[in-house]
Structures are given as structure tokens and as C-alpha cells.
Amino acid sequence: GILGLMGPSTRAAAMMATADIETDGGILGRPIVVRTVDAGRAPTQVLRDIRRAAPDGMPDLLVGTHPSYLREYLARRIEGRFAYVYTPYYEGDERRSGIYPIGETPDSQLRPPFGLIIRRTGVKRWYVIGHDYVWPRQAGRTAGAAIADAGGSVVGEHYVSLRRSSFADDLRAIAATGAEGVACFLIGQGAIDF
């Protein structure tokens, strides 16, 4: 899926952890079976694939490295029936039972660097661009607050479809604002294309 760039390293980490745990006898004497599901499909298909990957249709643990919109979809449907570890940085405020986010949140991820960048470089006029879903929007709000707290300002803000692959119009819009810096909350291929 969109976070597929992280796929090979995520799978390698899972296999390394599995080997370490298996060396000590598994979990409660049971072996670990790792299955990979493509999170780039439609949410309904991802859930179906998760259920198909588990022998009884219900895994003991789901480790997800995918965008927040998919976490929201899955969390509403699994409703704490098994543990769900969510690994990427995310918008924060996850309080549902059985969901364990371990990634950074925008506040801890963005406030320190924006203050440092503005103090060291004097770059005060910022443009925020991101994909149009919960994490980029929350990150954009947090970045805007961090920029303002450091004496800067957001001179433009725009959120685009996850399917966007051409950013020529966005680059022209950014240039027209006189922005000195860009806070980019695009992910996956969109970040590369930008």
C-alpha cells in the first residue's frame, strides 16, 4: 500500500523478532506464524485478507504499518477481539481497548524541530501540504501551532487526494505565496512524486 516503502524493513524486523522469540520456545510454548497482508487494497479487502490469513479467521495479534484511515476502519471492526499494534507515526488520541499505537505523534515529532529550524535559519513563512486524511490534517494543525509558537506563520495550506501524482499546480501555488519553507505531510508515492 501507500506505506509499502516500509514493507521490506518491517517484514525483516518481524522475521528477526520471530526468530529471537522462537529461540526461547515461542509464546506460551506456541510457535509464531507471520503472515503478510497488502494494506494497499480497499479496506474491506484488507480485513478479508487478515481473516483469511489466520487459521480460524481471527489472528492472535495484528501488527499494522499502514495509514491511519485503515487503522480507523479496522479498529471499528475488530473491536478488541485481538491485540492490534499500530506502528507508524500517527495523529495521537487512540484510546480504544486492544489497540497499541507505538509511533510518534505530531506533537512530539514536530514541535521541537520547527522551533529549532525557525530559530537557526530564520525561515518563518511556511506552506503546509499533505494528503487528505486524519494524520496529515492533525500533523498540519500541530505544525501550524509549532510554527506560530516559534514566531513564524503558515501562508498556505492544502490537502490532496491519496491518488495525486502530479504536483505542478501545487508547486506553483506554493511559490505564489512567498513561502520560505514547506511542511510536507504527503506519504508513500505521493511524497516521492512531490
Side-chain angles (χ1 to χ4, degrees):
I2 282 180
L3 296 181
L5 295 170
M6 294 190 265
S9 61
T10 300
R11 179 140 177 89
M15 299 314 292
M16 186 173 73
T18 298
D20 285 350
I21 294 168
E22 290 290 324
T23 299
D24 292 333
I27 297 176
L28 300 175
R30 292 174 53 200
I32 298 171
V33 178
V34 176
R35 304 220 194 277
T36 304
V37 172
D38 179 4
R41 303 171 112 189
T44 54
Q45 183 62 48
V46 173
L47 182 59
R48 198 171 312 128
D49 290 348
I50 290 168
R51 289 183 173 146
R52 286 181 183 156
D56 61 359
M58 196 64 60
D60 295 314
L61 170 68
L62 173 64
V63 178
T65 303
H66 47 71
S68 295
Y69 67 83
L70 183 55
R71 184 193 77 244
E72 289 295 317
Y73 177 87
L74 294 173
R76 286 192 305 271
R77 282 149 183 88
I78 63 173
E79 298 175 338
R81 287 179 278 202
F82 51 85
Y84 180 8
V85 178
Y86 185 69
T87 66
Y89 40 78
Y90 80 114
E91 61 282 352
D93 300 328
E94 180 59 71
R95 304 278 186 267
R96 289 172 280 206
S97 176
I99 300 175
Y100 306 97
I102 61 173
E104 283 187 292
T105 60
D107 201 50
S108 65
Q109 181 186 39
L110 300 175
R111 284 194 175 274
F114 275 108
L116 182 67
I117 291 167
I118 290 170
R119 282 192 306 277
R120 286 196 177 169
T121 67
V123 171
K124 292 187 175 190
R125 295 174 50 81
W126 290 83
Y127 192 97
V128 174
I129 187 167
H131 279 120
D132 190 12
Y133 73 95
V134 64
W135 174 77
R137 287 186 173 277
Q138 179 61 39
R141 280 191 293 276
T142 301
I147 290 165
D149 289 350
S153 63
V154 174
V155 297
E157 185 172 13
H158 187 60
Y159 296 92
V160 302
S161 164
L162 287 164
R163 291 182 176 86
R164 174 79 66 94
S165 61
S166 173
F167 292 91
D169 291 342
D170 301 289
L171 292 171
R172 281 190 287 278
I174 292 167
T177 67
E180 301 166 295
V182 176
C184 180
F185 302 108
L186 301 166
I187 62 171
Q189 189 63 45
I192 293 167
D193 292 340
F194 180 75

